[in-house]
Amino acid sequence: MTRPADRVPAPTDRRHRPRRLRGTPALRRMAREVRVHPGDLVLPVFVKEGLTEPVEIASMPGVLQHSRESLRRAVSEAADAGLAGVMLFGVPAVRDAVGSGATDPDGILNLAIADAVEAGGGRLVVMADLCLDEFTDHGHCGVLRTNAAGEPVVDNDATLERYVDMALAQARAGAHLLGLSGMMDDQTGAVRDALDEAGFQDVTLLAYAAKYASVFYGPFRDAVESTLTGDRMTYQMDPANRREAAREVALDVEQGADVVMVKPALPYLDVLADVAATSAVPVAAYQVSGEYAMIEAAAANGWIDRRRAIEESVLAIRRAGADLVLTYWATELARWLAEPTPNGSTR
């Protein structure tokens, strides 16, 4: 019969007590391996042509389609909160087959870039989405052609020409960083070469290198009033593929990407960890609209603690290796991070 004393660990085993580092808030803070800082966060912002007041997006409670004036306020608040940057998305009043509004100097996105640069005053990085989907009447990320079977497909190389024109328009508007999100082959190299030739060598490129064809983009399409029918499976990555991401990242870095992106974030933390472990450039991850909407919906129903869920989800993305996190909670989270802890220090 085993006596109770026989089940007590030998004295040498008692040396290993991981709980010792969890015993108090101060000890937990001391032993913490990963932290979130406002400078790790980027706020995605939507600005819609013709608005005089901001409008809340129904599927993204708390997120707005901004007017140009409210955009300026949002950028100033983001800078005050210490964010790394803002990523701008334009919602035009008129769309056409080739996304003409994307390259119009007076188009909403290019005007918004100039507004944001002024409002930011050099305190954060003004980033611009470089993709045609918000500007095309068919909702795809590029120019369409008809294939041999009579079906519409995205023409990769014709789209690159539009991306080059779009990049130059955004650079002229003053963007500090261009977010190449279209997932066209060779987009990073085409844009880098064009910018350098035009004298914009200092404009930074963030390549959405591993962007998956995800269902979690649904609310975003409401935010930009997308006209897409069908899907983007022929150019965005298959959610089943992990190793392929390494190839995409390597190609973008070779072509001159300064930062690479994994998108979405939480459903692809394995991919993010792979990329972070091998990338020679900073790695970003986008906590997309569907991730946002799920937490907000659960919190609104009382099923989850909203603040803790937001903090834990962003921490998980940082823990997986992201240097930058694009999140719709960026400004709010940054303010929480600035709050003093009970001993008077900040987190």
Side-chain angles (χ1 to χ4, degrees), residues 56-63 218-223 289-290 292-294 296:
E56 187 172 70
I57 299 160
S59 57
M60 299 177 70
V63 178
F220 175 92
R221 293 176 185 171
D222 292 339
S289 59
Y292 175 92
M294 288 191 300
E296 288 290 349

Side-chain angles (χ1 to χ4, degrees), residues 101-115:
T103 50
D104 182 352
D106 294 320
I108 185 60
L109 181 53
N110 294 319
L111 292 175
I113 291 168
D115 291 339

Side-chain angles (χ1 to χ4, degrees), residues 183-203:
M183 287 299 288
M184 296 296 118
D185 290 342
D186 301 318
Q187 63 183 18
T188 301
V191 168
R192 182 74 273 162
D193 289 347
L195 289 172
D196 290 352
E197 186 176 334
F200 293 110
Q201 295 91 342
D202 294 334
V203 173

Side-chain angles (χ1 to χ4, degrees), residues 83-346:
L83 299 191
V86 291
M87 176 65 79
L88 305 179
F89 298 87
V91 185
V94 178
R95 307 172 196 226
D96 61 26
V98 297
S100 299
T103 50
D104 182 352
D106 294 320
I108 185 60
L109 181 53
N110 294 319
L111 292 175
I113 291 168
D115 291 339
V117 170
E118 181 179 5
R123 296 183 295 156
L124 46 61
V125 179
V126 175
M127 310 177 182
D129 181 59
L130 200 160
C131 194
L132 291 172
D133 58 320
E134 299 104 299
F135 297 92
T136 55
D137 54 13
H138 47 73
H140 276 287
C141 298
V143 178
L144 298 185
R145 63 174 173 82
T146 303
N147 65 13
E151 301 165 332
V153 295
V154 175
D155 186 321
N156 193 95
D157 293 352
T159 299
L160 294 184
E161 294 179 15
R162 294 293 297 134
Y163 285 1
V164 163
D165 291 344
M166 192 174 183
L168 293 173
Q170 293 181 349
R172 292 180 186 121
H176 306 135
L177 178 150
L178 310 185
L180 299 163
S181 64
M183 287 299 288
M184 296 296 118
D185 290 342
D186 301 318
Q187 63 183 18
T188 301
V191 168
R192 182 74 273 162
D193 289 347
L195 289 172
D196 290 352
E197 186 176 334
F200 293 110
Q201 295 91 342
D202 294 334
V203 173
T204 305
L205 298 185
L206 186 163
Y208 286 51
K211 181 178 179 180
Y212 286 84
S214 173
V215 71
F216 291 100
Y217 303 147
F220 175 92
R221 293 176 185 171
D222 292 339
V224 297
E225 301 176 8
S226 174
T227 56
L228 178 70
T229 56
D231 58 50
R232 296 175 175 145
M233 294 294 291
T234 64
Y235 47 102
Q236 293 179 353
M237 286 180 60
D238 186 335
N241 292 358
R242 180 174 177 175
R243 292 192 304 269
E244 184 184 10
R247 182 184 185 197
E248 289 280 8
V249 169
L251 287 169
D252 280 318
V253 172
E254 180 184 344
Q255 292 171 32
D258 301 292
V259 186
V260 292
M261 170 88 84
V262 175
K263 181 181 179 182
L266 286 174
Y268 296 88
L269 291 182
D270 57 336
V271 177
L272 175 58
D274 290 345
V275 171
T278 58
S279 177
V281 301
V283 177
Y286 198 142
Q287 188 175 41
V288 300
S289 59
E291 298 172 63
Y292 175 92
M294 288 191 300
I295 289 177
E296 288 290 349
N301 278 282
W303 299 335
I304 196 168
D305 182 306
R306 179 179 180 272
R307 175 166 173 169
R308 289 187 63 190
I310 292 168
E311 291 176 331
E312 185 175 336
S313 66
V314 174
L315 179 64
I317 298 166
R318 285 278 292 122
R319 190 186 65 241
D323 301 295
L324 290 171
V325 181
L326 280 73
T327 176
Y328 298 98
W329 290 301
T331 302
E332 183 178 19
L333 178 54
R335 289 171 178 157
W336 293 341
L337 292 169
E339 292 174 358
T341 57
N343 68 359
S345 66
T346 56

